[in-house]
Amino acid sequence: MSDLPASEPPARLTRWEQRTEVPLFAAGLLFLAGYAVRVLTPHEAEPWNGIALILVWSTWLLFLADYVTRLGLSGLGARFVRTHWLDTLVLLLPLLRPLRMVQVYTAVQRRRDRPRLNLYARVMAYASTTVGLLGFAASLAVYHLEHAAPGASIHTFGDAVWWACATLTTVGYGDASPVTFWGRTVAAGLMACGLALLGAVTGSFSSWLIQVFTREDEKRPPERG
């Protein structure tokens, strides 16, 4: 029996994650770049489409190898799939890899004595980066699913980017919206992520402003009656 608490990962798994999170984040960007080429260039545009396809599959196989390795190092067996549901979801849908930005940031900070940014700046930087990457990934996915669909209102990648911006900011103009089942599924996921991440940004920014004003009030000399 192990003396470690059930919630504490094995040391080998922790070391593996520290070493691989940043390279895997870079691989995620390569996956996104390859997918973008596949979606945005004509099918007859060779050799770029072939190179992009190789890039997409090779990076996904890298994600699969990492998942299998972490499953083995965790010692959890089949429970790993349930307890690490986000990792499982990201493996099945690699366009969601920006959601792992917290793990990437944690892996980077473990190599330093102290964080370079305060808590509020870290939350805003994480959420902003994640929103940008998710918005770009969702734009690609929706354009891929929608531009040739009957009755579609998203015909160009620019339309898809405009739709993603309106969805993430919860404005919802309605001039561009998905009409297919999978396009609407992507939209629902983007709405949920956008609400959570933008809420984190605005909440952290408000807390930072309150903290700044509080310090200014404390430094101000008391008013005389």
Side-chain angles (χ1 to χ4, degrees):
M1 295 291 292
S2 173
D3 294 330
L4 293 174
S7 60
E8 184 176 340
R12 290 187 303 168
L13 176 60
T14 301
R15 287 195 299 269
W16 173 266
E17 290 177 341
Q18 289 177 2
R19 293 171 182 171
T20 59
E21 280 295 350
V22 175
L24 285 172
F25 176 70
L29 295 179
L30 290 176
F31 177 92
L32 188 59
Y35 181 69
V37 172
R38 292 286 298 173
V39 170
L40 299 177
T41 58
H43 292 295
E44 63 273 10
E46 296 294 347
W48 303 113
N49 263 301
I51 294 173
L53 183 61
I54 293 172
L55 190 61
V56 166
W57 279 108
S58 59
T59 49
W60 186 83
L61 289 174
L62 187 64
F63 303 149
L64 177 62
D66 169 69
Y67 184 88
V68 172
T69 301
R70 288 190 295 116
L71 187 152
L73 292 176
S74 69
L76 296 174
R79 285 187 298 155
F80 181 88
V81 177
R82 184 179 69 255
T83 57
H84 292 71
W85 61 269
L86 178 59
D87 297 330
T88 306
L89 180 63
V90 167
L91 176 66
L92 299 175
L93 300 172
L95 289 177
L96 295 178
R97 288 200 73 84
L99 293 177
R100 289 183 54 85
M101 279 294 296
V102 168
Q103 287 90 334
V104 175
Y105 180 82
T106 302
V108 172
Q109 289 304 323
R110 283 172 178 164
R111 302 177 185 178
R112 300 173 180 164
D113 294 332
R114 54 182 300 182
R116 292 185 179 180
L117 302 174
N118 63 35
L119 175 62
Y120 302 124
R122 276 179 279 161
V123 172
M124 287 188 284
Y126 155 73
S128 301
T129 303
T130 304
V131 163
L133 291 174
L134 276 179
F136 180 62
S139 300
L140 289 171
V142 163
Y143 172 70
H144 186 201
L145 295 165
E146 293 286 322
H147 74 281
S153 58
I154 298 174
H155 302 287
T156 66
F157 182 63
D159 293 338
V161 172
W162 171 252
W163 164 82
C165 292
T167 302
L168 281 168
T169 55
T170 68
V171 174
Y173 288 110
D175 55 342
S177 58
V179 296
T180 65
F181 171 79
W182 290 114
R184 290 174 176 174
T185 301
V186 172
L190 190 63
M191 290 175 196
C193 292
L195 284 172
L197 293 168
L198 290 178
V201 171
T202 54
S204 296
F205 184 68
S206 300
S207 298
W208 175 74
L209 286 178
I210 292 172
Q211 188 181 66
V212 170
F213 293 150
T214 300
R215 284 201 298 263
E216 289 180 355
D217 288 341
E218 291 174 351
K219 293 178 181 178
R220 186 178 304 167
E223 297 180 0
R224 295 181 179 178

